[in-house]
Amino acid sequence: ALCKQLESANLFRQAVAALCSYFPPAQATTTWVLVPPEQIFQVLLDLHQKIPKITREEEDEENGDKKSGDSKEQVARHTLWLYSVNTLASLTKHPRHSIKELALSSLRTALLASGWSVRNAETWKHCISKTLVPMLSDLAANGSAGVQVAEKKQQQQQPPPLGAGGADHKSATKKKQVDLRIAAATLLFQTFLQHMTTLSAMDKFDIFWLTFLGSIEKFMRPPKAESPRSASQLHVHVTEHFKNLLLVMAASGTFKRASQRSPSGQDLLTLTWAVLERFRPDLRRQLQELAGD
């Protein structure tokens, strides 16, 4: 019913904010549930799918000129789409793991299984650099800090599962945090790959690519000997995804086309190797061996 009543972008934002207020606070007990989180996320996804209809109806009322209306509608649609995506990403910061997991799953659906497509390069650029990369950084930082305070309290109040000792229960909880980081990294690279054609058509794709490379550098640097095992797992996962992305870009001619459009005239693949040489000199040899196979 809520989805059918929306008539403007402002009402959309109000509805999303109202829905998010129903998530249980960190200090609430595990039995405190006003609205099941699964239902909230389903409504958020339903609202996400309604964005084209909302923006189209809003422009039809304000502007009778179809050409101008289409342009304004597109801007409004992308702005509202980013708002919806950012809202889902922000919910991965919730102190409860179950809500983090639902938020990440819903975000994946919104980005990869949407009923309508976004073909604007700037929108995907913003989504990757301002939403997905920071989300991965936040999840990685929270995971390395250990189990969340709220979850620790729940462990103290509840006995470990039958057949499992306290150490095993703690290990299982920590593994959940690792899974979230890996899932976030997978979503980041899947989104980049799925929209690589749109992104690479940007005039300044070379700058975007080098900036992206710099933002994921910290995840591909070899972890220190004293680093937790989870850091090593994330390092391997991100590195493998990056190698796949770079091979696809090279094989599809993305680097060549971006270099031809670059005002500097510099070869983008050569610049990429130069950046990688600083912190992962072994990657070039690995990638060349894979390309040779």
Side-chain angles (χ1 to χ4, degrees), residues 87-146:
T87 297
L88 292 172
S90 69
L91 290 169
T92 62
K93 297 181 181 180
H94 196 280
R96 291 175 178 269
H97 175 80
S98 59
I99 292 179
K100 286 175 182 277
E101 192 171 16
L102 284 168
L104 196 54
S105 175
S106 299
L107 181 60
R108 176 185 174 84
T109 299
L111 293 179
L112 303 180
S114 179
W116 56 279
S117 58
V118 175
R119 297 185 178 87
N120 181 274
E122 288 297 324
T123 300
W124 286 112
K125 173 185 173 182
H126 187 284
C127 177
I128 290 172
S129 61
K130 302 297 184 182
T131 301
L132 296 182
V133 171
M135 181 184 71
L136 175 58
S137 297
D138 288 337
L139 287 171
N142 291 333
S144 63

Side-chain angles (χ1 to χ4, degrees), residues 212-256:
F212 173 75
L213 182 55
S215 67
I216 63 172
E217 174 183 331
K218 59 187 173 184
F219 303 116
M220 293 198 297
R221 283 185 175 276
K224 298 178 181 178
E226 64 273 17
S227 299
R229 183 182 177 186
S230 59
S232 177
Q233 291 173 327
L234 183 61
H235 157 74
V236 171
H237 194 76
V238 171
T239 299
E240 291 304 311
H241 271 296
F242 174 77
K243 286 161 62 176
N244 180 60
L245 174 61
L246 196 143
L247 286 171
V248 172
M249 290 175 64
S252 64
T254 299
F255 287 115
K256 183 178 180 180

Side-chain angles (χ1 to χ4, degrees), residues 181-196:
R181 294 194 293 272
I182 289 177
T186 300
L187 178 59
L188 169 63
F189 283 96
Q190 284 180 331
T191 302
F192 198 118
L193 270 173
Q194 184 165 316
H195 302 284
M196 187 177 67

Side-chain angles (χ1 to χ4, degrees), residues 203 205-207 209-210 254-275:
D203 291 336
F205 173 75
D206 53 340
I207 297 176
W209 167 251
L210 294 174
T254 299
F255 287 115
K256 183 178 180 180
R257 290 191 297 272
S259 301
Q260 292 171 343
R261 293 197 309 269
S262 175
S264 67
Q266 292 181 290
D267 183 70
L268 184 55
L269 184 56
T270 300
L271 291 173
T272 301
W273 293 135
V275 173

Side-chain angles (χ1 to χ4, degrees), residues 55 59 62-63 67-77:
T55 53
E59 285 304 322
E62 294 180 1
N63 200 325
K67 184 176 182 181
S68 176
D70 285 345
S71 177
K72 288 185 177 182
E73 177 193 325
Q74 188 178 38
V75 172
R77 180 180 300 178

Side-chain angles (χ1 to χ4, degrees), residues 29-61:
T29 62
T30 54
T31 57
W32 187 93
V33 177
L34 184 59
V35 179
E38 294 84 357
Q39 291 185 18
I40 301 176
F41 278 109
Q42 184 56 58
V43 177
L44 287 172
L45 283 174
D46 290 343
L47 289 172
H48 185 81
Q49 294 296 327
K50 296 288 183 181
I51 290 175
K53 184 174 185 296
I54 295 168
T55 53
R56 188 177 303 117
E57 289 181 350
E58 191 171 34
E59 285 304 322
D60 287 345
E61 292 179 1

